[in-house]
Amino acid sequence: MLILNKTAGVFFKPSKRKVYEFLRSFNFHPGTQFLHKIVLGIETSCDDTAAAVVDETGNVLGEAIHSQTEVHLKTGGIVPAVAQQLHRDNIQRIVQEALSASRISPSDLSAIATTIKPGLALSLGVGLSFSLQLVGQLKKPFIPIHHMEAHALTIRLTNKVEFPFLVLLISGGHCLLALVQGVSDFLLLGKSLDIAPGDMLDKVARRLSLIKHPECSTMSGGKAIEHLAKQGNRFHFDIKPPLHRAKNCDFSFTGLQQVTNKRIMKKEKEEGIEEGQVLSSAADIAATVQHTMACHIVRRTHRAILFCKQRDLLPQNNAVLVASGGVASNFYVRRALEILTNATQCTLLCPPPRLCTDNGIMIAWNGIERLRAGLGILHDIEGIRYEPKCPLGVDISKEVGEAAIKVPQLKMEI
Ligand code: KG4
Ligand code: ZN
């Protein structure tokens, strides 16, 4: 069955087990060596099959990931049934690799944590049913994880960050600003009214046929845009940032995508090429889209900082802004956010890029956070379901809009 039989030979070799127990007895937690917590995290909410084993001090004991990016690049976007099959094909191997790398016995796990919301239904289903089988086999507690909560808390694994802090989550499926007051205590300040910035970048990259560009053929859309933008001129043409008049913290990226599409069509005519060929001005278009997106993200985040300070939800000095999610691995966006945090006496913290995109470590760490806080640890898994749609925290975005805070103009010289 599953992992256990295949790996039992490795895990139960007495010598390794003894060595591990010996090492473990030296771990921090004064006088509580038997309380040392270790969580297996499993992530399948979108197009990455990922697993990791993390302990309560934040040590990553083992990790494995299978990315579907290349397959979906070829089909021009994620086909849910294809993603589901790829998760099915890989989940056992990935979980097994993470466990083997950790060199712990599955019986040493304190719990299994798995993303159950939000995400693609077919993808979430694979991770959940695999996890529930494993939970039954190992007789371990189960910790259901909200994917965005996991992105938000990752920073507490890499940096010493206390609550409250502001988080900006920008990825392929999500875009939101929230105040994080505790492990499972979020105030939602704003979100995208249409698509997420990563989705917009993926669509622009596809329309630019960047898969045919020799330097970008295996990159995700966002990464390809970042790469090409370095060679481009962002002043080549001008796009107005979206929602400029709306004094709230919501986002919009559909307009930006449509305006860019029109610009691409015009350029194709000018250069006399067909859709499907790479424009000579692709780098300029990438640079302009990236810059406009970054300015929009900064402006909405600026208002969120001012709102939180005005309401004493964040300290006046040295408040922390955390940016995470796939798009936060973009260094242009990070530099733009740095201009903002410098201007507002805040500190910008971002997990390293590989922890910004989907991974198993963030799920395992969220499991550790929940174990420590005693929140949402299930000993009975009866009736547990995945939820493709699930908001994060208490939505106060209306209140933010009603405050109608004016945001001063920042010089975005990036
Ligand atoms: O967080 P993530 O791995 O998955 C979701 O939860 O959506 O984010 C994936 C998204 C994709 O849209 C991808 O194009 C974008 O993040 N992305 C980037 C970069 N790397 C990945 N966007 C901009 N710049 C990057 N370097
Ligand atoms: Zn994500």
Side-chain angles (χ1 to χ4, degrees):
M1 281 285 287
L2 293 179
I3 288 161
L4 273 185
N5 290 349
K6 280 203 167 185
T7 54
V10 177
F11 291 131
F12 292 105
K13 264 188 197 161
S15 57
K16 271 184 189 163
R17 200 177 150 79
K18 275 207 171 115
V19 168
Y20 178 72
E21 276 171 5
F22 173 73
L23 289 174
R24 211 164 44 127
S25 68
F26 282 94
N27 241 307
F28 317 175
H29 290 267
T32 57
Q33 67 190 56
F34 297 111
L35 294 181
H36 190 69
K37 297 175 177 71
I38 302 174
V39 170
L40 166 67
I42 300 177
E43 157 66 32
T44 65
S45 69
C46 189
D47 59 348
D48 291 304
T49 317
V53 180
V54 175
D55 77 7
E56 68 180 311
T57 60
N59 289 322
V60 178
L61 305 178
E63 188 202 358
I65 187 161
H66 173 264
S67 166
Q68 304 176 0
T69 304
E70 281 193 39
V71 175
H72 298 308
L73 275 175
K74 285 189 190 116
T75 50
I78 298 174
V79 179
V82 174
Q84 179 189 43
Q85 191 55 47
L86 288 169
H87 283 306
R88 281 185 180 145
D89 294 345
N90 290 288
I91 191 159
Q92 178 165 339
R93 175 178 64 82
I94 289 299
V95 172
Q96 197 166 316
E97 272 179 30
L99 277 168
S100 298
S102 76
R103 304 173 81 89
I104 68 153
S105 155
S107 63
D108 284 336
L109 289 171
S110 313
I112 294 168
T114 302
T115 308
I116 68 150
K117 59 192 175 183
L120 296 174
L122 296 180
S123 296
L124 289 167
V126 177
L128 180 58
S129 60
F130 181 88
S131 303
L132 294 186
Q133 235 178 309
L134 200 56
V135 160
Q137 254 186 13
L138 297 174
K139 312 232 175 324
K140 297 288 176 186
F142 181 59
I143 308 179
I145 299 294
H146 190 299
H147 183 80
M148 304 314 284
E149 180 180 304
H151 270 307
L153 297 179
T154 307
I155 200 70
R156 282 165 50 86
L157 177 146
T158 56
N159 298 63
K160 200 171 161 14
V161 184
E162 301 296 335
F163 300 118
F165 59 88
L166 185 65
V167 73
L168 167 72
L169 296 179
I170 38 179
S171 70
H174 305 277
C175 178
L176 61 86
L177 272 162
L179 184 74
V180 190
Q181 305 187 115
V183 170
S184 180
D185 183 3
F186 291 70
L187 294 180
L188 184 69
L189 305 166
K191 60 179 186 319
S192 176
L193 302 175
D194 38 61
I195 59 174
D199 191 11
M200 183 272 293
L201 294 176
D202 291 340
K203 285 180 165 127
V204 170
R206 265 205 304 280
R207 184 62 185 77
L208 284 170
S209 304
L210 296 188
I211 192 171
K212 292 188 184 155
H213 193 292
E215 291 165 29
C216 315
S217 59
T218 59
M219 293 179 186
S220 69
K223 206 168 165 45
I225 296 278
E226 179 176 26
H227 178 79
L228 265 197
K230 288 181 197 143
Q231 308 158 23
N233 173 9
R234 73 170 162 91
F235 299 106
H236 189 71
F237 66 98
D238 204 34
I239 310 178
K240 267 212 170 116
L243 298 179
H244 206 63
R245 285 179 196 283
K247 291 194 184 63
N248 54 34
C249 291
D250 289 332
F251 301 80
S252 169
F253 296 95
T254 297
L256 183 51
Q257 184 214 331
Q258 286 166 350
V259 172
T260 308
N261 270 0
K262 277 191 193 147
R263 173 60 49 164
I264 294 170
M265 282 194 286
K266 189 162 171 267
K267 278 280 162 196
E268 282 169 347
K269 263 193 194 147
E270 279 172 24
E271 292 187 19
I273 66 166
E274 300 272 311
E275 178 172 347
Q277 292 174 275
V278 182
L279 282 169
S280 69
S281 52
D284 296 331
I285 293 171
T288 308
V289 169
Q290 180 177 256
H291 178 75
T292 313
M293 174 191 78
C295 291
H296 178 48
I297 289 171
V298 163
R299 209 170 158 75
R300 316 320 276 180
T301 309
H302 197 166
R303 183 169 287 111
I305 290 174
L306 298 180
F307 176 84
C308 289
K309 286 192 179 187
Q310 195 189 73
R311 302 286 160 110
D312 278 330
L313 295 167
L314 280 176
Q316 297 304 318
N317 288 310
N318 295 324
V320 171
L321 167 67
V322 171
S324 193
V327 180
S329 62
N330 181 299
F331 283 97
Y332 194 88
V333 171
R334 286 183 180 203
R335 280 202 297 280
L337 288 169
E338 231 160 45
I339 292 175
L340 168 63
T341 49
N342 288 341
T344 50
Q345 292 79 48
C346 293
T347 304
L348 175 68
L349 295 176
C350 306
R354 72 183 189 95
L355 293 182
C356 279
T357 47
D358 292 350
N359 62 84
I361 296 171
M362 69 182 200
I363 308 304
W365 176 249
N366 199 162
I368 292 280
E369 290 265 32
R370 281 185 163 265
L371 265 184
R372 290 200 301 210
L375 287 167
I377 305 145
L378 305 184
H379 295 275
D380 177 6
I381 50 172
E382 192 60 33
I384 182 105
R385 301 267 181 275
Y386 58 81
E387 295 171 56
K389 282 196 175 14
C390 183
L392 181 75
V394 177
D395 188 348
I396 61 158
S397 56
K398 199 162 164 259
E399 206 182 308
V400 176
E402 281 162 5
I405 294 172
K406 274 194 183 160
V407 172
Q409 202 70 40
L410 289 180
K411 259 204 166 150
M412 300 306 285
E413 278 163 7
I414 305 165

